[in-house]
Amino acid sequence: MQQNERHSGEEVMSFWSKTASVVAVMWLFGVVFSLFMTALLFLLRVYFVLNSGSNPPKTRSHVAVLVVAGSGGHTTEILRLMDSLSAAYTPRHYVIADTDKMSEEKIVSFERCKPESHSDVQFTINRIPRSREVAQSWSSSVVSTLNALRYSIPLVFRLQPDVLLEVGATCLTLRCCVMVQGRVFLYV
């Protein structure tokens, strides 16, 4: 009987030591991955800054805006901000989460209620996956953030916004992509 208790105790200790090893490896992977991504973003930023140095700034009458509309009150706040912008801020590219049901309706209603002076304003609505859902564990958010990044990079490079507007820390992936391109982002 004592021998059985000893074996079960050794099995428990073996389980916890294996679990600790797995956690340590996962933590180390997370640190290495974070350092790699930071270095990659830094190198991309340096590349874009060095390559844009020889080109004079563009003088345009329009400014392309990428607007991140969070769900709920964040969409109302960003639309209030957008209401104060002139018609020079066009095209307007709105980005909403693929799980957001109400923001698209609010944006379409907002853009259709513009006065005659803003009739030439163009807008699009784009959907990307959320980086992190409400109440999602931090460990699983790494995978969902990488998934959101997979959609954010081509979107930002296709739209080429001059400015990113966001309310709340809703989309880190878009902010990183815009920063790498050397554009301006406004976090309100």
Side-chain angles (χ1 to χ4, degrees):
M1 182 142 182
Q2 237 178 359
Q3 192 171 15
N4 283 342
E5 288 177 12
R6 191 177 315 140
H7 284 302
S8 65
E10 290 171 4
E11 289 172 6
V12 169
M13 291 301 288
S14 173
F15 169 77
W16 285 113
S17 66
K18 287 179 185 177
T19 303
S21 297
V22 168
V23 168
V25 167
M26 287 178 60
W27 182 83
L28 183 62
F29 174 75
V31 169
V32 169
F33 180 75
S34 297
L35 290 173
F36 172 76
M37 290 303 290
T38 302
L40 181 65
L41 284 173
F42 177 75
L43 290 174
L44 284 171
R45 175 75 172 141
V46 168
Y47 172 77
F48 279 107
V49 168
L50 291 177
N51 281 341
S52 67
S54 61
N55 300 333
K58 298 175 187 173
T59 55
R60 299 184 301 179
S61 60
H62 295 289
V63 177
V65 183
L66 184 63
V67 183
V68 181
S71 56
H74 288 155
T75 299
T76 304
E77 286 181 61
I78 202 74
L79 291 178
R80 227 181 272 140
L81 177 65
M82 294 300 294
D83 196 30
S84 66
L85 296 180
S86 70
Y89 291 90
T90 185
R92 297 175 178 188
H93 303 288
Y94 292 92
V95 178
I96 59 176
D98 56 0
T99 57
D100 192 349
K101 306 292 184 218
M102 294 188 326
S103 293
E104 185 172 7
E105 295 169 10
K106 288 181 182 180
I107 292 166
V108 170
S109 173
F110 168 76
E111 288 292 340
R112 289 208 174 124
C113 293
K114 288 284 180 198
E116 290 289 321
S117 62
H118 288 67
S119 61
D120 63 336
V121 172
Q122 306 163 6
F123 77 97
T124 60
I125 298 175
N126 304 281
R127 291 183 173 273
I128 63 170
R130 286 188 188 272
S131 293
R132 184 173 179 269
E133 293 287 345
V134 176
Q136 181 180 354
S137 72
W138 288 101
S139 59
S140 67
S141 67
V142 171
V143 174
S144 58
T145 299
L146 290 174
N147 187 41
L149 189 62
R150 184 174 66 122
Y151 286 90
S152 299
I153 291 172
L155 179 68
V156 169
F157 280 86
R158 179 173 49 87
L159 298 176
Q160 294 288 312
D162 297 309
V163 176
L164 169 73
L165 292 177
E166 66 173 314
V167 177
T170 52
C171 200
L172 176 68
T173 57
L174 287 169
R175 196 179 314 145
C176 289
C177 293
V178 167
M179 183 195 72
V180 164
Q181 282 190 324
R183 308 292 190 210
V184 176
F185 69 87
L186 301 174
Y187 168 73
V188 182

